[in-house]
Amino acid sequence: GLLCYSGEEAAYLADAGFSDLVVAYPIWQESEVEAACEAIEAGARVQLMVDSVDHVQRLSTLAEQFGQDIPLCLDIDLSTSHFGLHFGVRRSGVRDVDTARHVAATIADAPAVHLAGVMGYEAQLAGLPDDDPSNNRLMNAVVRFLKRCSRPRLRERRGAVVDALRDAGHEVSLVNGGGTGTVEFTAADPSVTEVTVGSGFYSPALFDHY
């Protein structure tokens, strides 16, 4: 499968023959949702990210308007807090089990959408260098320390949300996580079904060779 940045990119990739697509960022604009619905109508599986009740209701309304049933992926915020310091990216308003249950229940009650998966991107691990030559040794050491503190907390949160949703009767067939910087860590998480790898597939030296 492929992660997409927008609904229009998903439609473009679907037209190119790719059929398993997840739009990794919430989309709201009508034209973006319409593009995703066109890809679904053409036979591609396109999952759209949601992070709030208002967002679910918006996508439900547009899905009805465009005559499609859209699979939704619940975006879980996996940032953590240590010693009063926020560590990570504020990706979503879904930060705990209760909120996840509430948004999932809204999806279940809304027409033209259904819950298909969960995404938990650990940006503070996957995207934050901890041996950065532009930082001093102390800064890199602090980042590594915060990463060690963050790993068990975010893994516990992701697993708890997935278990709670399944216990509530929701079908969660996809649990996406990780990035190039956390392939081994995320792959070892028993709640995860697929790991995202981005920049690890890109090598400027390889292209220079050709």
Side-chain angles (χ1 to χ4, degrees):
L2 295 174
L3 286 186
C4 310
Y5 180 75
S6 67
E8 291 181 353
E9 183 185 20
Y12 174 84
L13 291 170
D15 188 55
F18 297 96
S19 59
D20 183 6
L21 305 166
V22 175
V23 180
Y25 301 92
I27 59 175
W28 183 276
Q29 190 171 337
E30 183 174 324
S31 61
E32 291 282 347
V33 180
E34 182 178 16
C37 286
E38 288 174 353
I40 293 171
E41 185 175 11
R45 176 172 172 80
V46 181
Q47 296 191 42
L48 300 186
M49 206 62 55
V50 289
D51 59 9
S52 68
V53 167
D54 289 343
H55 195 199
V56 171
Q57 293 170 341
R58 167 75 171 177
L59 293 185
S60 173
T61 298
L62 292 176
E64 278 196 298
Q65 178 179 322
F66 298 127
Q68 295 298 324
D69 184 75
I70 300 177
L72 301 182
C73 190
L74 186 61
D75 194 358
I76 309 168
D77 192 311
L78 291 183
S79 57
T80 52
S81 180
H82 312 276
F83 313 105
L85 174 67
H86 183 268
F87 189 51
V89 178
R90 301 179 192 272
R91 278 187 60 97
S92 168
V94 182
R95 301 185 179 94
D96 54 52
V97 167
D98 289 341
T99 307
R101 283 199 193 104
H102 180 53
V103 177
T106 303
I107 295 171
D109 292 338
V113 293
H114 64 276
L115 181 63
V118 167
M119 179 176 179
Y121 174 51
E122 49 272 77
Q124 69 271 33
L125 304 185
L128 181 62
D130 55 24
D131 191 18
D132 189 340
S134 66
N135 291 333
N136 58 43
R137 293 177 62 185
L138 177 60
M139 178 61 72
N140 284 327
V142 169
V143 172
R144 286 193 290 271
F145 172 72
L146 291 174
K147 284 186 174 184
R148 287 196 299 272
C149 294
S150 186
R151 285 188 186 101
R153 295 189 189 183
L154 68 86
R155 176 176 284 185
E156 180 182 5
R157 186 184 310 167
R158 181 165 49 204
V161 167
V162 172
D163 288 345
L165 294 179
R166 287 174 174 160
D167 289 345
H170 301 287
E171 182 178 351
V172 181
S173 58
L174 175 149
V175 182
N176 179 287
T180 297
T182 58
V183 173
E184 293 182 2
F185 169 77
T186 309
D189 187 336
S191 69
V192 171
T193 66
E194 65 176 39
V195 180
T196 298
V197 181
S199 55
F201 281 123
Y202 174 67
S203 172
L206 178 63
F207 287 94
D208 288 343
H209 175 72
Y210 289 100

